Amino acid sequence: MLYGLIYLCAALAVVILVGIIGYVFFKGIRRVNLEFLTSVTSVLKGTVGIAGNIVNTLYIIVITMIVATPIGVGSAIYLNEYAKPGRLVTIIEYATETLSGIPSIIFGLFGMMFFGQTLGLGYSILTGSLTLILMVLPLITRNTQEALKTVPDSYRMGAFGLGSGKWHMIRTILLPSALPGIITGVILAIGRIVGESAALLFTAGSAKALPKLLGGYWDKIFQSGGTLTIQLYLSATSEGDFDVAFGIAVVLLILVFLINLGTKALAKKYDVYRRD
């Protein structure tokens, strides 16, 4: 009886997932084509596209991960390998857990007031990226911590017994062994960035223009830039264009699917290297 109930719950979860994906693809796949992916919406040219939103999403992913990954991994190494158990470690871990539970819209409000107004960055890709750094840091830190804890203590003792220093042991033994878990945390953070909308609505804005070729790629980070999720929200609400909204939803689902596949492939690859 209990096994039957468990299988029923599992089957229900699969049916719901397949139903959502099938409905979104049915409503939006006809909108997705080459022009939709490579052009920008323009009334004068009569085009409808999300190329600008894709570029903005990539900007925010790259900027956020360049800053958040080393800080998150470094924090986890400190907490797991250097910090002595005590009040300081307890406070840091409690702060990390609290940050991971704060609603994203509060991060957006803070980012708008601090990065946007106090620092004078306004509605820009940089403001959105700085806000998302605060959001994904707990995810990267906690995943890296858990990955480091899975490395057997015998690896550490063996390295020390051979005369290795602590930092050398961390670089050559600990981090390579924990790499599958670290990669999983990083890619999950990317997945959260791709799916975030509330925080970016307050910070990054909704502009969808492509950067200019001459010097525009650097200047773009100081300009407003709406991601795919922001454009989906605007298309479904203020613009009332549900065809475009479902088309963007299809693109987002494909991105999330590719991210999940990448997570499994990379984790499996480096896990094989670790065992070898």
Side-chain angles (χ1 to χ4, degrees), residues 81 156 159-160 164-174:
E81 302 300 321
R156 298 173 175 84
F160 290 144
S164 174
K166 193 173 186 74
W167 176 237
H168 185 267
M169 179 273 296
I170 291 172
R171 286 189 297 108
T172 59
I173 303 297
L174 202 61

Side-chain angles (χ1 to χ4, degrees), residues 23 26 66 74 101 121 140 154 161 173 200 211 224 250 273-274:
Y23 182 78
F26 175 76
I66 283 177
L121 297 175
I140 297 174
S154 59
I173 303 297
L200 294 176
S224 173
V250 169
Y273 287 164
R274 183 181 68 177

Side-chain angles (χ1 to χ4, degrees), residues 44-265:
L44 296 177
K45 296 180 181 179
T47 58
V48 176
I50 58 172
N53 302 112
I54 293 174
V55 171
N56 293 336
T57 302
L58 293 176
Y59 263 101
I60 288 179
I61 290 173
V62 171
I63 296 171
T64 302
M65 298 312 298
I66 283 177
V67 179
T69 301
I71 295 176
V73 173
S75 300
I77 292 173
Y78 168 75
L79 290 171
N80 205 69
E81 302 300 321
Y82 288 98
K84 296 180 180 180
R87 182 174 297 179
L88 178 61
V89 174
T90 303
I91 292 173
I92 295 173
E93 291 182 344
Y94 178 76
T96 303
E97 292 172 359
T98 303
L99 275 175
S100 63
I102 294 176
S104 60
I105 197 166
I106 296 179
F107 279 105
L109 183 62
F110 171 80
M112 179 183 68
M113 298 301 297
F114 182 72
F115 298 120
Q117 296 188 13
T118 304
L119 299 185
L121 297 175
Y123 284 100
S124 66
I125 288 176
L126 184 58
T127 302
S129 299
L130 292 173
T131 304
L132 289 182
I133 288 170
L134 302 179
M135 290 181 58
V136 302
L137 262 178
L139 180 60
I140 297 174
T141 302
R142 296 300 292 174
N143 273 275
T144 303
Q145 268 191 285
E146 294 304 318
L148 293 174
K149 289 177 182 177
T150 62
V151 180
D153 287 336
S154 59
Y155 287 22
R156 298 173 175 84
M157 296 300 103
F160 290 144
L162 293 172
S164 174
K166 193 173 186 74
W167 176 237
H168 185 267
M169 179 273 296
I170 291 172
R171 286 189 297 108
T172 59
I173 303 297
L174 202 61
L175 287 178
S177 299
L179 201 56
I182 296 173
I183 291 174
T184 300
V186 169
I187 299 182
L188 287 174
I190 294 175
R192 182 168 185 182
I193 295 170
V194 170
E196 184 54 48
S197 59
L200 294 176
L201 195 62
F202 282 102
T203 55
S206 59
K208 45 196 172 187
L210 287 168
K212 297 178 181 179
L213 292 179
L214 298 176
Y217 287 97
W218 171 253
D219 296 336
K220 181 67 177 174
I221 67 173
F222 301 103
Q223 301 170 6
S224 173
T227 60
L228 289 168
T229 50
I230 296 297
Q231 187 56 44
L232 188 154
Y233 168 78
L234 294 176
S235 297
T237 55
S238 60
E239 298 173 13
D241 195 341
F242 286 96
D243 286 342
V244 173
F246 275 106
I248 298 173
V250 169
V251 175
L252 283 171
L253 282 176
I254 293 173
L255 283 176
V256 171
F257 178 71
L258 292 176
I259 288 171
N260 286 332
L261 281 182
T263 303
K264 292 183 179 296

